[in-house]
Amino acid sequence: MKKKSTLTMNNLAVRAITAIIGVTIIIAGIVFSSWTFALVFLAIALLTLREFYNLARKSGTQPYEVWGLVFSLALFGLIFLNYQGQIDKSTFWILPALFSTVFLYPLIRYGQGHAINCLALSVLGVLYIALPFCFVIPLAFVSGEFQYELVLGVLFAQWANDTGAYFAGKAFGKTKLFEKVSPKKTWEGSVGGLILAVGVSLAFCYFFGTMSYLEWTGLAIVVSIFGSLGDLVESAFKRALAIKDSGSTIPGHGGFLDRFDGLILALPFATTYIHFVI
């Protein structure tokens, strides 16, 4: 029992140290400049996409990873440069041609596994991972110029939701949220996550303004609901493949997909919400 307790404390220490370092790097990158902001989220998107493709390989499918990473890089980069005002909109015509190249892969790899499954999962990775992360760009440029406050607000609301759900679930969790997909998640935990997310968002309103208290509360609710659903979606993928973590890139936290799964659904809905209220 003592050994188990020591291991638990060590794991919590590793998780805490890794979280502090990771959060510091992310916040610094977002705040420093629009370029470092873009690099931070591009890196997160590409690393998360790689882990998704690794999950797909565990099912016996060989996704076209190089195509997925190159297309995602081009998609994110062009959207960012467009908001920076540094490219002509006609440059976006590169994307349809680049996207269409994925349909050539079944010819190149003819006879090597199920081409349709490989093609489908390659495209799914872009739609599920890369495209949602691109929504952080219009969120940062919602006023026409780069502003980091709303981006940080969404991130902190998501992190607060995860933290509140974990501790509230541990303390009060009894009613299962979606037992077939994630047996440990409870309604009590979800409520705790929502409450903490709202509290953090109200603190952002106090320090940064940008929106009213009611609008910040609405943002927290959107992030909490869709962030939790994003977590469940990734859990469904992992359960289908009978694995615990999507990777081991982040000590004590699993992989990038494990850490940013909630953000994948939260970002598109949060950005849409922001564009309606501002």
Short mmCIF file of all heavy atoms in Angstrom, two decimals, residues 158 161 220-233 261-270:
data_model
loop_
_atom_site.label_atom_id
_atom_site.label_comp_id
_atom_site.label_asym_id
_atom_site.label_seq_id
_atom_site.Cartn_x
_atom_site.Cartn_y
_atom_site.Cartn_z
N GLN A 158 -10.63 25.50 -20.94
CA GLN A 158 -10.52 24.07 -21.22
C GLN A 158 -9.72 23.36 -20.14
O GLN A 158 -10.10 22.29 -19.66
CB GLN A 158 -9.87 23.86 -22.59
CG GLN A 158 -9.64 22.39 -22.98
CD GLN A 158 -10.93 21.60 -23.03
OE1 GLN A 158 -11.93 22.06 -23.58
NE2 GLN A 158 -10.94 20.43 -22.44
N ASN A 161 -11.75 23.17 -17.03
CA ASN A 161 -12.78 22.15 -17.17
C ASN A 161 -12.21 20.76 -16.90
O ASN A 161 -12.81 19.96 -16.18
CB ASN A 161 -13.39 22.22 -18.57
CG ASN A 161 -14.50 21.20 -18.76
OD1 ASN A 161 -15.53 21.26 -18.11
ND2 ASN A 161 -14.29 20.25 -19.66
N ALA A 220 -17.38 29.99 -21.54
CA ALA A 220 -16.98 28.90 -20.65
C ALA A 220 -17.91 27.69 -20.79
O ALA A 220 -17.46 26.55 -20.81
CB ALA A 220 -16.97 29.37 -19.20
N ILE A 221 -19.20 27.96 -20.93
CA ILE A 221 -20.18 26.87 -21.09
C ILE A 221 -19.93 26.13 -22.40
O ILE A 221 -19.94 24.89 -22.45
CB ILE A 221 -21.61 27.42 -21.03
CG1 ILE A 221 -21.91 27.95 -19.62
CG2 ILE A 221 -22.63 26.35 -21.42
CD1 ILE A 221 -23.23 28.70 -19.51
N VAL A 222 -19.70 26.88 -23.47
CA VAL A 222 -19.42 26.28 -24.78
C VAL A 222 -18.17 25.41 -24.72
O VAL A 222 -18.16 24.26 -25.17
CB VAL A 222 -19.26 27.37 -25.87
CG1 VAL A 222 -18.72 26.77 -27.17
CG2 VAL A 222 -20.60 28.05 -26.13
N VAL A 223 -17.11 25.97 -24.14
CA VAL A 223 -15.84 25.23 -24.05
C VAL A 223 -16.01 23.98 -23.19
O VAL A 223 -15.49 22.91 -23.52
CB VAL A 223 -14.73 26.14 -23.48
CG1 VAL A 223 -13.47 25.33 -23.16
CG2 VAL A 223 -14.39 27.24 -24.48
N SER A 224 -16.70 24.12 -22.07
CA SER A 224 -16.88 22.99 -21.16
C SER A 224 -17.66 21.85 -21.81
O SER A 224 -17.26 20.69 -21.74
CB SER A 224 -17.60 23.45 -19.89
OG SER A 224 -17.78 22.39 -18.99
N ILE A 225 -18.76 22.18 -22.46
CA ILE A 225 -19.60 21.15 -23.08
C ILE A 225 -18.87 20.44 -24.21
O ILE A 225 -18.76 19.20 -24.23
CB ILE A 225 -20.92 21.76 -23.61
CG1 ILE A 225 -21.80 22.20 -22.43
CG2 ILE A 225 -21.67 20.75 -24.48
CD1 ILE A 225 -23.05 22.96 -22.85
N PHE A 226 -18.34 21.23 -25.15
CA PHE A 226 -17.72 20.61 -26.33
C PHE A 226 -16.32 20.08 -26.04
O PHE A 226 -15.86 19.15 -26.71
CB PHE A 226 -17.73 21.60 -27.49
CG PHE A 226 -19.11 21.85 -28.01
CD1 PHE A 226 -19.81 22.99 -27.65
CD2 PHE A 226 -19.74 20.92 -28.83
CE1 PHE A 226 -21.11 23.21 -28.11
CE2 PHE A 226 -21.02 21.12 -29.29
CZ PHE A 226 -21.72 22.27 -28.93
N GLY A 227 -15.66 20.65 -25.03
CA GLY A 227 -14.39 20.09 -24.60
C GLY A 227 -14.57 18.71 -24.01
O GLY A 227 -13.80 17.78 -24.28
N SER A 228 -15.63 18.54 -23.21
CA SER A 228 -15.93 17.23 -22.62
C SER A 228 -16.32 16.22 -23.70
O SER A 228 -15.92 15.04 -23.65
CB SER A 228 -17.06 17.36 -21.60
OG SER A 228 -16.67 18.20 -20.52
N LEU A 229 -17.07 16.68 -24.69
CA LEU A 229 -17.45 15.79 -25.79
C LEU A 229 -16.23 15.39 -26.61
O LEU A 229 -16.12 14.25 -27.07
CB LEU A 229 -18.48 16.48 -26.69
CG LEU A 229 -19.89 16.64 -26.10
CD1 LEU A 229 -20.76 17.49 -27.02
CD2 LEU A 229 -20.53 15.28 -25.87
N GLY A 230 -15.30 16.32 -26.79
CA GLY A 230 -14.07 16.00 -27.51
C GLY A 230 -13.26 14.94 -26.80
O GLY A 230 -12.67 14.05 -27.44
N ASP A 231 -13.25 15.00 -25.49
CA ASP A 231 -12.57 13.99 -24.67
C ASP A 231 -13.22 12.62 -24.88
O ASP A 231 -12.54 11.60 -25.02
CB ASP A 231 -12.63 14.39 -23.21
CG ASP A 231 -11.69 13.58 -22.34
OD1 ASP A 231 -11.01 12.70 -22.88
OD2 ASP A 231 -11.62 13.84 -21.13
N LEU A 232 -14.54 12.59 -24.93
CA LEU A 232 -15.26 11.34 -25.12
C LEU A 232 -15.03 10.76 -26.51
O LEU A 232 -14.92 9.53 -26.68
CB LEU A 232 -16.76 11.55 -24.91
CG LEU A 232 -17.20 11.79 -23.46
CD1 LEU A 232 -18.67 12.17 -23.42
CD2 LEU A 232 -16.96 10.53 -22.61
N VAL A 233 -14.93 11.63 -27.51
CA VAL A 233 -14.67 11.16 -28.88
C VAL A 233 -13.33 10.45 -28.94
O VAL A 233 -13.20 9.36 -29.52
CB VAL A 233 -14.69 12.35 -29.88
CG1 VAL A 233 -14.15 11.91 -31.24
CG2 VAL A 233 -16.11 12.88 -30.03
N ASP A 261 -7.35 16.65 -26.78
CA ASP A 261 -8.55 16.10 -27.41
C ASP A 261 -9.77 17.00 -27.19
O ASP A 261 -10.59 17.19 -28.09
CB ASP A 261 -8.82 14.68 -26.91
CG ASP A 261 -8.84 14.56 -25.39
OD1 ASP A 261 -8.68 15.59 -24.70
OD2 ASP A 261 -9.00 13.44 -24.89
N GLY A 262 -9.89 17.57 -26.00
CA GLY A 262 -11.03 18.44 -25.72
C GLY A 262 -11.00 19.71 -26.57
O GLY A 262 -12.03 20.20 -27.03
N LEU A 263 -9.81 20.22 -26.80
CA LEU A 263 -9.66 21.45 -27.58
C LEU A 263 -10.07 21.25 -29.03
O LEU A 263 -10.48 22.20 -29.70
CB LEU A 263 -8.20 21.91 -27.50
CG LEU A 263 -7.92 23.41 -27.68
CD1 LEU A 263 -8.66 24.23 -26.64
CD2 LEU A 263 -6.42 23.66 -27.60
N ILE A 264 -9.96 20.01 -29.53
CA ILE A 264 -10.29 19.73 -30.92
C ILE A 264 -11.75 20.07 -31.24
O ILE A 264 -12.06 20.61 -32.30
CB ILE A 264 -9.99 18.25 -31.25
CG1 ILE A 264 -8.48 18.01 -31.22
CG2 ILE A 264 -10.57 17.86 -32.60
CD1 ILE A 264 -8.09 16.55 -31.27
N LEU A 265 -12.65 19.79 -30.31
CA LEU A 265 -14.05 20.17 -30.52
C LEU A 265 -14.37 21.54 -29.93
O LEU A 265 -15.24 22.25 -30.44
CB LEU A 265 -14.98 19.13 -29.88
CG LEU A 265 -15.34 17.89 -30.70
CD1 LEU A 265 -16.46 17.10 -30.03
CD2 LEU A 265 -15.76 18.26 -32.12
N ALA A 266 -13.67 21.91 -28.88
CA ALA A 266 -13.97 23.19 -28.23
C ALA A 266 -13.62 24.38 -29.12
O ALA A 266 -14.35 25.37 -29.16
CB ALA A 266 -13.21 23.29 -26.91
N LEU A 267 -12.50 24.31 -29.84
CA LEU A 267 -12.05 25.45 -30.63
C LEU A 267 -13.04 25.88 -31.73
O LEU A 267 -13.37 27.07 -31.82
CB LEU A 267 -10.68 25.15 -31.26
CG LEU A 267 -9.45 25.58 -30.46
CD1 LEU A 267 -8.18 25.13 -31.15
CD2 LEU A 267 -9.45 27.09 -30.27
N PRO A 268 -13.53 24.95 -32.57
CA PRO A 268 -14.48 25.40 -33.61
C PRO A 268 -15.74 26.04 -33.03
O PRO A 268 -16.21 27.06 -33.53
CB PRO A 268 -14.80 24.10 -34.36
CG PRO A 268 -13.65 23.21 -34.10
CD PRO A 268 -13.19 23.53 -32.72
N PHE A 269 -16.28 25.43 -31.97
CA PHE A 269 -17.51 25.97 -31.39
C PHE A 269 -17.26 27.27 -30.64
O PHE A 269 -18.09 28.19 -30.68
CB PHE A 269 -18.16 24.93 -30.47
CG PHE A 269 -18.86 23.83 -31.21
CD1 PHE A 269 -18.22 22.63 -31.49
CD2 PHE A 269 -20.17 24.00 -31.65
CE1 PHE A 269 -18.85 21.63 -32.20
CE2 PHE A 269 -20.82 23.00 -32.36
CZ PHE A 269 -20.17 21.80 -32.63
N ALA A 270 -16.11 27.36 -29.96
CA ALA A 270 -15.78 28.60 -29.25
C ALA A 270 -15.55 29.75 -30.23
O ALA A 270 -16.03 30.87 -30.00
CB ALA A 270 -14.52 28.40 -28.40
#
